[in-house]
Amino acid sequence: MTIIIDGKKIASGLCEKLSQRIDVLKREHSIFPCLKVIFVGNNPASQVYVCNKQKKAESIGISSETIVLPDNILENELIEKINELNNDPFVNGILVQLPLPNHISASKVINTVSVEKDVDAFHHENVGKLVKGEKSCLVPCTPKGALHLIKLVETNLSGKNAVVIGRSNIVGKPMFHLLLQENCTVTILHSQSKALAEYCSKADVVVTAVGKPNFVQEGWIKEGAIVIDVGINSVSIEGKTKLIGDVDFNRVKEKTKAITPVPGGVGPMTIAFLMINTVIAACLQKKVDASDFVS
Ligand code: GUN
């Protein structure tokens, strides 16, 4: 029997524990974690994500505000706003929801966020630290959450074959580095890769983030593998809109040791680790030890 990994329950447990830690930080260190989310435009999917982030933050004692800006905002106006938040000592975490409108350079905006407040960990300095394996850096939330789930099933990943499908800066690339740090032999597959099934069939761990419904097939997966599905695809089934992942879940689950569902797998973990990153950022800024936070 495969383990259907209940990301919602695991994320909820992490947030509950974090909430208790926040109480202690407030009481004993006068640290009041504060997260600002910048949302440009009105992309409906982003609107849902941003709203969920804010609600979770407030429910566990992180003060949070979503700053909504019009989609015709100029790049330098957005940068000015970020600099204002960078200079505000009461703000610990800044997240700019992506995607941004085409006339704005996402790279320029991301690299404006101060390294210490970069709770997404997309700033090139944080990316560099992750690549070099530095211990005390902020790490992108989704891959961090995915790794947490993998490690709940398999504590020792050393020498395991891992395949990451997708090479985005948000998921695929950081996931590659996190698995490498766990001493996995990691292969990254992407749109130009050949023989995907062949690579996947040797993998003890498969993480997929490509945004293609039912992309990963039963025949690709080794018996007893751990499959983590980061894909979120909106599809219409019998006239109803449903969210499904990249994995042909019902078939693939027959072969796995453990698998994440969509929804209810990695999604809630992203938010939990955003909360954790916000608290870690606050601790780093106030020089309070954050090493015993979930890593
Ligand atoms: N859009 C999709 N995923 C993410 C994420 O993890 N962070 C941000 N800022 N935007 C996103």
Side-chain angles (χ1 to χ4, degrees):
M1 278 288 280
T2 190
I3 302 165
I4 310 290
I5 302 172
D6 189 343
K8 201 169 161 189
K9 190 167 154 193
I10 295 161
S12 165
L14 286 173
C15 285
E16 206 171 294
K17 214 166 106 192
L18 187 66
S19 171
Q20 290 163 12
R21 299 288 305 271
I22 292 168
D23 285 345
V24 175
L25 288 173
K26 286 179 179 173
R27 221 174 33 241
E28 294 182 5
H29 298 278
S30 299
I31 291 178
F32 299 88
C34 170
L35 171 69
K36 300 278 181 178
V37 176
I38 297 179
F39 175 35
V40 181
N42 50 16
N43 177 310
S46 293
Q47 214 153 17
V48 174
Y49 297 143
V50 162
C51 185
N52 288 341
K53 286 167 186 174
Q54 166 136 10
K55 271 201 280 194
K56 180 53 77 180
E58 282 166 0
S59 77
I60 63 168
I62 294 176
S63 93
S64 174
E65 183 194 5
T66 302
I67 299 161
V68 182
L69 300 170
D71 66 358
N72 62 355
I73 188 168
L74 297 176
E75 186 180 272
N76 64 333
E77 290 173 324
L78 177 56
I79 284 175
E80 214 171 284
K81 184 71 210 170
I82 294 169
N83 278 326
E84 210 178 280
L85 299 174
N86 284 341
N87 293 327
D88 184 338
F90 294 105
V91 175
N92 305 114
I94 303 167
L95 179 148
V96 182
Q97 186 65 30
L98 301 175
L100 288 169
N102 289 335
H103 68 278
I104 296 175
S105 157
S107 171
K108 201 163 166 190
V109 166
I110 285 167
N111 289 318
T112 300
V113 175
S114 115
V115 175
E116 297 77 29
K117 298 186 180 185
D118 174 31
V119 285
D120 261 329
F122 296 162
H123 188 290
H124 59 207
E125 198 169 320
N126 282 321
V127 174
K129 286 180 178 172
L130 174 67
V131 171
K132 291 179 87 174
E134 285 190 19
K135 287 280 168 260
S136 69
C137 70
L138 290 163
V139 172
C141 308
T142 301
K144 201 173 173 185
L147 182 66
H148 185 83
L149 297 180
I150 296 166
K151 290 188 81 171
L152 287 177
V153 180
E154 182 66 66
T155 45
N156 185 6
L157 292 169
S158 190
K160 302 281 184 201
N161 289 333
V163 163
V164 177
I165 314 178
R167 55 177 160 178
S168 68
N169 291 329
I170 296 182
V171 185
K173 287 180 199 160
M175 192 77 238
F176 173 90
H177 289 289
L178 288 178
L179 289 165
L180 192 60
Q181 277 168 28
E182 295 295 325
N183 299 314
C184 288
T185 304
V186 197
T187 305
I188 192 154
L189 303 176
H190 50 78
S191 57
Q192 304 304 306
S193 297
K194 307 260 190 293
L196 279 81
E198 202 176 304
Y199 285 106
C200 284
S201 66
K202 294 188 180 69
D204 304 296
V205 176
V206 175
V207 180
T208 173
V210 287
K212 291 184 183 168
N214 296 324
F215 185 67
V216 177
Q217 297 290 310
E218 178 193 11
W220 298 18
I221 299 297
K222 181 166 107 172
E223 199 76 45
I226 300 169
V227 174
I228 305 294
D229 192 347
V230 185
I232 302 176
N233 306 294
S234 180
V235 293
S236 176
I237 299 175
E238 289 161 5
K240 283 191 189 148
T241 304
K242 268 187 74 175
L243 287 184
I244 65 169
D246 292 340
V247 176
D248 187 354
F249 180 82
N250 284 325
R251 290 178 196 213
V252 169
K253 79 175 189 323
E254 299 303 325
K255 297 189 71 180
T256 53
K257 176 177 176 184
I259 186 166
T260 56
V262 177
V266 178
M269 296 298 288
T270 299
I271 298 187
F273 276 91
L274 172 63
M275 301 301 121
I276 290 170
N277 275 358
T278 302
V279 175
I280 291 175
C283 287
L284 289 173
Q285 288 152 32
K286 297 280 160 77
K287 311 270 185 283
V288 167
D289 183 30
S291 58
D292 61 335
F293 275 88
V294 184
S295 57

